[in-house]
Amino acid sequence: DAGVIQSPRHEVTEMGQEVTLRCKPISGHNSLFWYRQTMMRGLELLIYFNNNVPIDDSGMPEDRFSAKMPNASFSTLKIQPSEPRDSAVYFCASRTGTTDRDTQYFGPGTRLTVL
Amino acid sequence: GENVEQHPSTLSVQEGDSAVIKCTYSDSASNYFPWYKQELGKRPQLIIDIRSNVGEKKDQRIAVTLNKTAKHFSLHITETQPEDSAVYFCAASGAAGNKLTFGGGTRVLVKP
């Protein structure tokens, strides 16, 4: 199994540009999570999906952030327009079931730098 | 919602000594408590977890204890080795059992 796949691994962009991060969960997993990690705020849950349906987006910082999961094997996190304070490592994670009976597996992350 | 506090934020130990990291949580309905290890530049990886129906769990040099009455749980690493150097995160699953809330992390440095 290839594990959770994220792309790109690194992204450098200028303030005001649109950024799209991509995630492919582990095949057969039913839940998908987007996290943001910074030194100041640690590991924050942004949004999670169960069976492709967004369940909790209370962690999404503001309207500039949006996430979609059009099918069981693909999700995107979009930032438009991007700002320097969005610079962080963004992790996607997936889980077999829809409750915490099962382990969350993290992808390698996307390091985003907004200049 | 759930709030998880983790202490200490940094921990330096001599190789061979033990390391202990403590976490407290706020939601008494939480029933799942995993620990993740994150090496520099890598993804968090699960190292051990415990559920509320047990008080202690051990896996080789790693053990976790849970005190539901006091709402705290701890990670114990014995006979530390340089490869144990990493950031460790505790987490708790809220009442709905659907998502994890992470502690702030503990940076562990094992000095040879």
mmCIF file with all atom_site columns, all heavy atoms in Angstrom, chain B residues 8-33:
data_model
loop_
_atom_site.group_PDB
_atom_site.id
_atom_site.type_symbol
_atom_site.label_atom_id
_atom_site.label_alt_id
_atom_site.label_comp_id
_atom_site.label_asym_id
_atom_site.label_entity_id
_atom_site.label_seq_id
_atom_site.pdbx_PDB_ins_code
_atom_site.Cartn_x
_atom_site.Cartn_y
_atom_site.Cartn_z
_atom_site.occupancy
_atom_site.B_iso_or_equiv
_atom_site.pdbx_formal_charge
_atom_site.auth_seq_id
_atom_site.auth_comp_id
_atom_site.auth_asym_id
_atom_site.auth_atom_id
_atom_site.pdbx_PDB_model_num
ATOM 1   N N   . PRO B 1 8  ? 6.080   18.113 29.488 1.00 0.00 ? 8  PRO B N   1
ATOM 2   C CA  . PRO B 1 8  ? 6.624   19.442 29.216 1.00 0.00 ? 8  PRO B CA  1
ATOM 3   C C   . PRO B 1 8  ? 6.656   19.725 27.719 1.00 0.00 ? 8  PRO B C   1
ATOM 4   O O   . PRO B 1 8  ? 6.387   18.834 26.915 1.00 0.00 ? 8  PRO B O   1
ATOM 5   C CB  . PRO B 1 8  ? 8.039   19.330 29.781 1.00 0.00 ? 8  PRO B CB  1
ATOM 6   C CG  . PRO B 1 8  ? 8.411   17.905 29.536 1.00 0.00 ? 8  PRO B CG  1
ATOM 7   C CD  . PRO B 1 8  ? 7.142   17.110 29.725 1.00 0.00 ? 8  PRO B CD  1
ATOM 8   N N   . SER B 1 9  ? 7.015   20.917 27.340 1.00 0.00 ? 9  SER B N   1
ATOM 9   C CA  . SER B 1 9  ? 7.122   21.235 25.912 1.00 0.00 ? 9  SER B CA  1
ATOM 10  C C   . SER B 1 9  ? 8.454   20.753 25.352 1.00 0.00 ? 9  SER B C   1
ATOM 11  O O   . SER B 1 9  ? 8.555   20.463 24.161 1.00 0.00 ? 9  SER B O   1
ATOM 12  C CB  . SER B 1 9  ? 6.955   22.739 25.676 1.00 0.00 ? 9  SER B CB  1
ATOM 13  O OG  . SER B 1 9  ? 7.909   23.450 26.425 1.00 0.00 ? 9  SER B OG  1
ATOM 14  N N   . THR B 1 10 ? 9.475   20.687 26.195 1.00 0.00 ? 10 THR B N   1
ATOM 15  C CA  . THR B 1 10 ? 10.765  20.129 25.793 1.00 0.00 ? 10 THR B CA  1
ATOM 16  C C   . THR B 1 10 ? 11.278  19.249 26.913 1.00 0.00 ? 10 THR B C   1
ATOM 17  O O   . THR B 1 10 ? 11.017  19.502 28.094 1.00 0.00 ? 10 THR B O   1
ATOM 18  C CB  . THR B 1 10 ? 11.803  21.225 25.479 1.00 0.00 ? 10 THR B CB  1
ATOM 19  O OG1 . THR B 1 10 ? 11.984  22.037 26.645 1.00 0.00 ? 10 THR B OG1 1
ATOM 20  C CG2 . THR B 1 10 ? 11.359  22.094 24.324 1.00 0.00 ? 10 THR B CG2 1
ATOM 21  N N   . LEU B 1 11 ? 12.013  18.222 26.537 1.00 0.00 ? 11 LEU B N   1
ATOM 22  C CA  . LEU B 1 11 ? 12.527  17.261 27.508 1.00 0.00 ? 11 LEU B CA  1
ATOM 23  C C   . LEU B 1 11 ? 13.869  16.741 27.012 1.00 0.00 ? 11 LEU B C   1
ATOM 24  O O   . LEU B 1 11 ? 13.955  16.190 25.911 1.00 0.00 ? 11 LEU B O   1
ATOM 25  C CB  . LEU B 1 11 ? 11.531  16.102 27.668 1.00 0.00 ? 11 LEU B CB  1
ATOM 26  C CG  . LEU B 1 11 ? 11.866  14.989 28.656 1.00 0.00 ? 11 LEU B CG  1
ATOM 27  C CD1 . LEU B 1 11 ? 12.035  15.546 30.058 1.00 0.00 ? 11 LEU B CD1 1
ATOM 28  C CD2 . LEU B 1 11 ? 10.768  13.934 28.633 1.00 0.00 ? 11 LEU B CD2 1
ATOM 29  N N   . SER B 1 12 ? 14.883  16.920 27.827 1.00 0.00 ? 12 SER B N   1
ATOM 30  C CA  . SER B 1 12 ? 16.210  16.441 27.483 1.00 0.00 ? 12 SER B CA  1
ATOM 31  C C   . SER B 1 12 ? 16.614  15.358 28.473 1.00 0.00 ? 12 SER B C   1
ATOM 32  O O   . SER B 1 12 ? 16.540  15.586 29.687 1.00 0.00 ? 12 SER B O   1
ATOM 33  C CB  . SER B 1 12 ? 17.222  17.598 27.518 1.00 0.00 ? 12 SER B CB  1
ATOM 34  O OG  . SER B 1 12 ? 18.503  17.162 27.152 1.00 0.00 ? 12 SER B OG  1
ATOM 35  N N   . VAL B 1 13 ? 16.978  14.191 27.967 1.00 0.00 ? 13 VAL B N   1
ATOM 36  C CA  . VAL B 1 13 ? 17.359  13.082 28.847 1.00 0.00 ? 13 VAL B CA  1
ATOM 37  C C   . VAL B 1 13 ? 18.657  12.468 28.353 1.00 0.00 ? 13 VAL B C   1
ATOM 38  O O   . VAL B 1 13 ? 19.004  12.571 27.172 1.00 0.00 ? 13 VAL B O   1
ATOM 39  C CB  . VAL B 1 13 ? 16.259  11.994 28.906 1.00 0.00 ? 13 VAL B CB  1
ATOM 40  C CG1 . VAL B 1 13 ? 14.993  12.553 29.502 1.00 0.00 ? 13 VAL B CG1 1
ATOM 41  C CG2 . VAL B 1 13 ? 15.998  11.407 27.522 1.00 0.00 ? 13 VAL B CG2 1
ATOM 42  N N   . GLN B 1 14 ? 19.330  11.805 29.268 1.00 0.00 ? 14 GLN B N   1
ATOM 43  C CA  . GLN B 1 14 ? 20.552  11.098 28.920 1.00 0.00 ? 14 GLN B CA  1
ATOM 44  C C   . GLN B 1 14 ? 20.177  9.731  28.370 1.00 0.00 ? 14 GLN B C   1
ATOM 45  O O   . GLN B 1 14 ? 19.214  9.097  28.863 1.00 0.00 ? 14 GLN B O   1
ATOM 46  C CB  . GLN B 1 14 ? 21.430  10.946 30.171 1.00 0.00 ? 14 GLN B CB  1
ATOM 47  C CG  . GLN B 1 14 ? 22.912  10.808 29.906 1.00 0.00 ? 14 GLN B CG  1
ATOM 48  C CD  . GLN B 1 14 ? 23.531  12.053 29.325 1.00 0.00 ? 14 GLN B CD  1
ATOM 49  O OE1 . GLN B 1 14 ? 23.193  13.175 29.691 1.00 0.00 ? 14 GLN B OE1 1
ATOM 50  N NE2 . GLN B 1 14 ? 24.453  11.866 28.397 1.00 0.00 ? 14 GLN B NE2 1
ATOM 51  N N   . GLU B 1 15 ? 20.894  9.290  27.376 1.00 0.00 ? 15 GLU B N   1
ATOM 52  C CA  . GLU B 1 15 ? 20.646  7.964  26.819 1.00 0.00 ? 15 GLU B CA  1
ATOM 53  C C   . GLU B 1 15 ? 20.614  6.911  27.928 1.00 0.00 ? 15 GLU B C   1
ATOM 54  O O   . GLU B 1 15 ? 21.484  6.897  28.804 1.00 0.00 ? 15 GLU B O   1
ATOM 55  C CB  . GLU B 1 15 ? 21.733  7.612  25.808 1.00 0.00 ? 15 GLU B CB  1
ATOM 56  C CG  . GLU B 1 15 ? 21.535  6.271  25.128 1.00 0.00 ? 15 GLU B CG  1
ATOM 57  C CD  . GLU B 1 15 ? 22.615  5.974  24.091 1.00 0.00 ? 15 GLU B CD  1
ATOM 58  O OE1 . GLU B 1 15 ? 23.494  6.834  23.877 1.00 0.00 ? 15 GLU B OE1 1
ATOM 59  O OE2 . GLU B 1 15 ? 22.579  4.887  23.497 1.00 0.00 ? 15 GLU B OE2 1
ATOM 60  N N   . GLY B 1 16 ? 19.573  6.081  27.861 1.00 0.00 ? 16 GLY B N   1
ATOM 61  C CA  . GLY B 1 16 ? 19.412  5.037  28.882 1.00 0.00 ? 16 GLY B CA  1
ATOM 62  C C   . GLY B 1 16 ? 18.459  5.416  30.001 1.00 0.00 ? 16 GLY B C   1
ATOM 63  O O   . GLY B 1 16 ? 17.937  4.539  30.694 1.00 0.00 ? 16 GLY B O   1
ATOM 64  N N   . ASP B 1 17 ? 18.225  6.714  30.169 1.00 0.00 ? 17 ASP B N   1
ATOM 65  C CA  . ASP B 1 17 ? 17.275  7.156  31.188 1.00 0.00 ? 17 ASP B CA  1
ATOM 66  C C   . ASP B 1 17 ? 15.850  7.031  30.662 1.00 0.00 ? 17 ASP B C   1
ATOM 67  O O   . ASP B 1 17 ? 15.622  6.738  29.491 1.00 0.00 ? 17 ASP B O   1
ATOM 68  C CB  . ASP B 1 17 ? 17.569  8.602  31.595 1.00 0.00 ? 17 ASP B CB  1
ATOM 69  C CG  . ASP B 1 17 ? 18.839  8.725  32.411 1.00 0.00 ? 17 ASP B CG  1
ATOM 70  O OD1 . ASP B 1 17 ? 19.382  7.668  32.847 1.00 0.00 ? 17 ASP B OD1 1
ATOM 71  O OD2 . ASP B 1 17 ? 19.301  9.856  32.627 1.00 0.00 ? 17 ASP B OD2 1
ATOM 72  N N   . SER B 1 18 ? 14.900  7.282  31.540 1.00 0.00 ? 18 SER B N   1
ATOM 73  C CA  . SER B 1 18 ? 13.483  7.242  31.159 1.00 0.00 ? 18 SER B CA  1
ATOM 74  C C   . SER B 1 18 ? 12.973  8.641  30.851 1.00 0.00 ? 18 SER B C   1
ATOM 75  O O   . SER B 1 18 ? 13.497  9.638  31.355 1.00 0.00 ? 18 SER B O   1
ATOM 76  C CB  . SER B 1 18 ? 12.651  6.631  32.284 1.00 0.00 ? 18 SER B CB  1
ATOM 77  O OG  . SER B 1 18 ? 12.999  5.287  32.493 1.00 0.00 ? 18 SER B OG  1
ATOM 78  N N   . ALA B 1 19 ? 11.936  8.697  30.026 1.00 0.00 ? 19 ALA B N   1
ATOM 79  C CA  . ALA B 1 19 ? 11.270  9.958  29.694 1.00 0.00 ? 19 ALA B CA  1
ATOM 80  C C   . ALA B 1 19 ? 9.784   9.800  29.948 1.00 0.00 ? 19 ALA B C   1
ATOM 81  O O   . ALA B 1 19 ? 9.201   8.745  29.626 1.00 0.00 ? 19 ALA B O   1
ATOM 82  C CB  . ALA B 1 19 ? 11.513  10.320 28.226 1.00 0.00 ? 19 ALA B CB  1
ATOM 83  N N   . VAL B 1 20 ? 9.184   10.817 30.522 1.00 0.00 ? 20 VAL B N   1
ATOM 84  C CA  . VAL B 1 20 ? 7.754   10.786 30.817 1.00 0.00 ? 20 VAL B CA  1
ATOM 85  C C   . VAL B 1 20 ? 7.113   12.063 30.294 1.00 0.00 ? 20 VAL B C   1
ATOM 86  O O   . VAL B 1 20 ? 7.594   13.161 30.571 1.00 0.00 ? 20 VAL B O   1
ATOM 87  C CB  . VAL B 1 20 ? 7.474   10.666 32.330 1.00 0.00 ? 20 VAL B CB  1
ATOM 88  C CG1 . VAL B 1 20 ? 5.964   10.636 32.584 1.00 0.00 ? 20 VAL B CG1 1
ATOM 89  C CG2 . VAL B 1 20 ? 8.137   9.416  32.895 1.00 0.00 ? 20 VAL B CG2 1
ATOM 90  N N   . ILE B 1 21 ? 6.036   11.898 29.550 1.00 0.00 ? 21 ILE B N   1
ATOM 91  C CA  . ILE B 1 21 ? 5.279   13.029 29.010 1.00 0.00 ? 21 ILE B CA  1
ATOM 92  C C   . ILE B 1 21 ? 3.846   12.900 29.508 1.00 0.00 ? 21 ILE B C   1
ATOM 93  O O   . ILE B 1 21 ? 3.272   11.806 29.471 1.00 0.00 ? 21 ILE B O   1
ATOM 94  C CB  . ILE B 1 21 ? 5.286   13.034 27.466 1.00 0.00 ? 21 ILE B CB  1
ATOM 95  C CG1 . ILE B 1 21 ? 6.734   13.043 26.935 1.00 0.00 ? 21 ILE B CG1 1
ATOM 96  C CG2 . ILE B 1 21 ? 4.507   14.229 26.926 1.00 0.00 ? 21 ILE B CG2 1
ATOM 97  C CD1 . ILE B 1 21 ? 6.827   12.796 25.435 1.00 0.00 ? 21 ILE B CD1 1
ATOM 98  N N   . LYS B 1 22 ? 3.283   14.028 29.971 1.00 0.00 ? 22 LYS B N   1
ATOM 99  C CA  . LYS B 1 22 ? 1.952   13.990 30.572 1.00 0.00 ? 22 LYS B CA  1
ATOM 100 C C   . LYS B 1 22 ? 0.970   14.850 29.804 1.00 0.00 ? 22 LYS B C   1
ATOM 101 O O   . LYS B 1 22 ? 1.336   15.930 29.310 1.00 0.00 ? 22 LYS B O   1
ATOM 102 C CB  . LYS B 1 22 ? 2.033   14.453 32.026 1.00 0.00 ? 22 LYS B CB  1
ATOM 103 C CG  . LYS B 1 22 ? 2.922   13.570 32.889 1.00 0.00 ? 22 LYS B CG  1
ATOM 104 C CD  . LYS B 1 22 ? 2.954   14.028 34.333 1.00 0.00 ? 22 LYS B CD  1
ATOM 105 C CE  . LYS B 1 22 ? 3.839   13.089 35.160 1.00 0.00 ? 22 LYS B CE  1
ATOM 106 N NZ  . LYS B 1 22 ? 3.869   13.477 36.591 1.00 0.00 ? 22 LYS B NZ  1
ATOM 107 N N   . CYS B 1 23 ? -0.245  14.360 29.724 1.00 0.00 ? 23 CYS B N   1
ATOM 108 C CA  . CYS B 1 23 ? -1.314  15.101 29.045 1.00 0.00 ? 23 CYS B CA  1
ATOM 109 C C   . CYS B 1 23 ? -2.572  15.085 29.887 1.00 0.00 ? 23 CYS B C   1
ATOM 110 O O   . CYS B 1 23 ? -2.854  14.082 30.567 1.00 0.00 ? 23 CYS B O   1
ATOM 111 C CB  . CYS B 1 23 ? -1.617  14.501 27.675 1.00 0.00 ? 23 CYS B CB  1
ATOM 112 S SG  . CYS B 1 23 ? -0.314  14.781 26.466 1.00 0.00 ? 23 CYS B SG  1
ATOM 113 N N   . THR B 1 24 ? -3.306  16.187 29.855 1.00 0.00 ? 24 THR B N   1
ATOM 114 C CA  . THR B 1 24 ? -4.616  16.245 30.479 1.00 0.00 ? 24 THR B CA  1
ATOM 115 C C   . THR B 1 24 ? -5.639  16.604 29.408 1.00 0.00 ? 24 THR B C   1
ATOM 116 O O   . THR B 1 24 ? -5.305  17.251 28.401 1.00 0.00 ? 24 THR B O   1
ATOM 117 C CB  . THR B 1 24 ? -4.667  17.295 31.601 1.00 0.00 ? 24 THR B CB  1
ATOM 118 O OG1 . THR B 1 24 ? -4.357  18.582 31.035 1.00 0.00 ? 24 THR B OG1 1
ATOM 119 C CG2 . THR B 1 24 ? -3.663  16.973 32.692 1.00 0.00 ? 24 THR B CG2 1
ATOM 120 N N   . TYR B 1 25 ? -6.866  16.163 29.623 1.00 0.00 ? 25 TYR B N   1
ATOM 121 C CA  . TYR B 1 25 ? -7.920  16.473 28.671 1.00 0.00 ? 25 TYR B CA  1
ATOM 122 C C   . TYR B 1 25 ? -9.144  16.970 29.422 1.00 0.00 ? 25 TYR B C   1
ATOM 123 O O   . TYR B 1 25 ? -9.267  16.797 30.628 1.00 0.00 ? 25 TYR B O   1
ATOM 124 C CB  . TYR B 1 25 ? -8.249  15.248 27.806 1.00 0.00 ? 25 TYR B CB  1
ATOM 125 C CG  . TYR B 1 25 ? -8.738  14.034 28.562 1.00 0.00 ? 25 TYR B CG  1
ATOM 126 C CD1 . TYR B 1 25 ? -10.094 13.738 28.668 1.00 0.00 ? 25 TYR B CD1 1
ATOM 127 C CD2 . TYR B 1 25 ? -7.834  13.158 29.168 1.00 0.00 ? 25 TYR B CD2 1
ATOM 128 C CE1 . TYR B 1 25 ? -10.531 12.625 29.350 1.00 0.00 ? 25 TYR B CE1 1
ATOM 129 C CE2 . TYR B 1 25 ? -8.269  12.049 29.856 1.00 0.00 ? 25 TYR B CE2 1
ATOM 130 C CZ  . TYR B 1 25 ? -9.611  11.778 29.946 1.00 0.00 ? 25 TYR B CZ  1
ATOM 131 O OH  . TYR B 1 25 ? -10.062 10.673 30.644 1.00 0.00 ? 25 TYR B OH  1
ATOM 132 N N   . SER B 1 26 ? -10.068 17.585 28.682 1.00 0.00 ? 26 SER B N   1
ATOM 133 C CA  . SER B 1 26 ? -11.180 18.260 29.351 1.00 0.00 ? 26 SER B CA  1
ATOM 134 C C   . SER B 1 26 ? -12.503 17.503 29.232 1.00 0.00 ? 26 SER B C   1
ATOM 135 O O   . SER B 1 26 ? -13.355 17.615 30.125 1.00 0.00 ? 26 SER B O   1
ATOM 136 C CB  . SER B 1 26 ? -11.354 19.661 28.772 1.00 0.00 ? 26 SER B CB  1
ATOM 137 O OG  . SER B 1 26 ? -11.630 19.592 27.379 1.00 0.00 ? 26 SER B OG  1
ATOM 138 N N   . ASP B 1 27 ? -12.694 16.748 28.152 1.00 0.00 ? 27 ASP B N   1
ATOM 139 C CA  . ASP B 1 27 ? -13.972 16.102 27.909 1.00 0.00 ? 27 ASP B CA  1
ATOM 140 C C   . ASP B 1 27 ? -14.012 14.724 28.571 1.00 0.00 ? 27 ASP B C   1
ATOM 141 O O   . ASP B 1 27 ? -13.338 13.797 28.124 1.00 0.00 ? 27 ASP B O   1
ATOM 142 C CB  . ASP B 1 27 ? -14.189 15.977 26.397 1.00 0.00 ? 27 ASP B CB  1
ATOM 143 C CG  . ASP B 1 27 ? -15.583 15.495 26.030 1.00 0.00 ? 27 ASP B CG  1
ATOM 144 O OD1 . ASP B 1 27 ? -16.290 14.979 26.925 1.00 0.00 ? 27 ASP B OD1 1
ATOM 145 O OD2 . ASP B 1 27 ? -15.965 15.618 24.867 1.00 0.00 ? 27 ASP B OD2 1
ATOM 146 N N   . SER B 1 28 ? -14.797 14.593 29.604 1.00 0.00 ? 28 SER B N   1
ATOM 147 C CA  . SER B 1 28 ? -14.855 13.336 30.346 1.00 0.00 ? 28 SER B CA  1
ATOM 148 C C   . SER B 1 28 ? -15.410 12.180 29.497 1.00 0.00 ? 28 SER B C   1
ATOM 149 O O   . SER B 1 28 ? -15.268 11.017 29.858 1.00 0.00 ? 28 SER B O   1
ATOM 150 C CB  . SER B 1 28 ? -15.705 13.501 31.610 1.00 0.00 ? 28 SER B CB  1
ATOM 151 O OG  . SER B 1 28 ? -17.006 13.946 31.267 1.00 0.00 ? 28 SER B OG  1
ATOM 152 N N   . ALA B 1 29 ? -16.040 12.507 28.375 1.00 0.00 ? 29 ALA B N   1
ATOM 153 C CA  . ALA B 1 29 ? -16.579 11.455 27.507 1.00 0.00 ? 29 ALA B CA  1
ATOM 154 C C   . ALA B 1 29 ? -15.532 10.906 26.534 1.00 0.00 ? 29 ALA B C   1
ATOM 155 O O   . ALA B 1 29 ? -15.792 9.916  25.843 1.00 0.00 ? 29 ALA B O   1
ATOM 156 C CB  . ALA B 1 29 ? -17.776 11.988 26.728 1.00 0.00 ? 29 ALA B CB  1
ATOM 157 N N   . SER B 1 30 ? -14.360 11.522 26.473 1.00 0.00 ? 30 SER B N   1
ATOM 158 C CA  . SER B 1 30 ? -13.314 11.020 25.569 1.00 0.00 ? 30 SER B CA  1
ATOM 159 C C   . SER B 1 30 ? -12.925 9.611  25.957 1.00 0.00 ? 30 SER B C   1
ATOM 160 O O   . SER B 1 30 ? -12.842 9.271  27.150 1.00 0.00 ? 30 SER B O   1
ATOM 161 C CB  . SER B 1 30 ? -12.085 11.934 25.622 1.00 0.00 ? 30 SER B CB  1
ATOM 162 O OG  . SER B 1 30 ? -12.363 13.167 24.994 1.00 0.00 ? 30 SER B OG  1
ATOM 163 N N   . ASN B 1 31 ? -12.689 8.771  24.948 1.00 0.00 ? 31 ASN B N   1
ATOM 164 C CA  . ASN B 1 31 ? -12.419 7.369  25.267 1.00 0.00 ? 31 ASN B CA  1
ATOM 165 C C   . ASN B 1 31 ? -11.304 6.750  24.432 1.00 0.00 ? 31 ASN B C   1
ATOM 166 O O   . ASN B 1 31 ? -11.111 5.532  24.452 1.00 0.00 ? 31 ASN B O   1
ATOM 167 C CB  . ASN B 1 31 ? -13.706 6.548  25.092 1.00 0.00 ? 31 ASN B CB  1
ATOM 168 C CG  . ASN B 1 31 ? -14.265 6.668  23.692 1.00 0.00 ? 31 ASN B CG  1
ATOM 169 O OD1 . ASN B 1 31 ? -13.624 7.212  22.795 1.00 0.00 ? 31 ASN B OD1 1
ATOM 170 N ND2 . ASN B 1 31 ? -15.472 6.182  23.491 1.00 0.00 ? 31 ASN B ND2 1
ATOM 171 N N   . TYR B 1 32 ? -10.588 7.559  23.680 1.00 0.00 ? 32 TYR B N   1
ATOM 172 C CA  . TYR B 1 32 ? -9.498  7.042  22.863 1.00 0.00 ? 32 TYR B CA  1
ATOM 173 C C   . TYR B 1 32 ? -8.342  8.030  22.902 1.00 0.00 ? 32 TYR B C   1
ATOM 174 O O   . TYR B 1 32 ? -8.537  9.233  22.662 1.00 0.00 ? 32 TYR B O   1
ATOM 175 C CB  . TYR B 1 32 ? -9.975  6.830  21.419 1.00 0.00 ? 32 TYR B CB  1
ATOM 176 C CG  . TYR B 1 32 ? -8.885  6.418  20.461 1.00 0.00 ? 32 TYR B CG  1
ATOM 177 C CD1 . TYR B 1 32 ? -8.194  5.224  20.638 1.00 0.00 ? 32 TYR B CD1 1
ATOM 178 C CD2 . TYR B 1 32 ? -8.534  7.222  19.388 1.00 0.00 ? 32 TYR B CD2 1
ATOM 179 C CE1 . TYR B 1 32 ? -7.192  4.843  19.766 1.00 0.00 ? 32 TYR B CE1 1
ATOM 180 C CE2 . TYR B 1 32 ? -7.535  6.858  18.514 1.00 0.00 ? 32 TYR B CE2 1
ATOM 181 C CZ  . TYR B 1 32 ? -6.862  5.659  18.708 1.00 0.00 ? 32 TYR B CZ  1
ATOM 182 O OH  . TYR B 1 32 ? -5.871  5.278  17.843 1.00 0.00 ? 32 TYR B OH  1
ATOM 183 N N   . PHE B 1 33 ? -7.126  7.511  23.222 1.00 0.00 ? 33 PHE B N   1
ATOM 184 C CA  . PHE B 1 33 ? -5.984  8.388  23.483 1.00 0.00 ? 33 PHE B CA  1
ATOM 185 C C   . PHE B 1 33 ? -4.743  7.837  22.774 1.00 0.00 ? 33 PHE B C   1
ATOM 186 O O   . PHE B 1 33 ? -4.020  7.000  23.320 1.00 0.00 ? 33 PHE B O   1
ATOM 187 C CB  . PHE B 1 33 ? -5.741  8.494  24.991 1.00 0.00 ? 33 PHE B CB  1
ATOM 188 C CG  . PHE B 1 33 ? -6.990  8.870  25.761 1.00 0.00 ? 33 PHE B CG  1
ATOM 189 C CD1 . PHE B 1 33 ? -7.823  7.889  26.266 1.00 0.00 ? 33 PHE B CD1 1
ATOM 190 C CD2 . PHE B 1 33 ? -7.316  10.205 25.959 1.00 0.00 ? 33 PHE B CD2 1
ATOM 191 C CE1 . PHE B 1 33 ? -8.982  8.230  26.962 1.00 0.00 ? 33 PHE B CE1 1
ATOM 192 C CE2 . PHE B 1 33 ? -8.466  10.559 26.652 1.00 0.00 ? 33 PHE B CE2 1
ATOM 193 C CZ  . PHE B 1 33 ? -9.300  9.570  27.147 1.00 0.00 ? 33 PHE B CZ  1
#
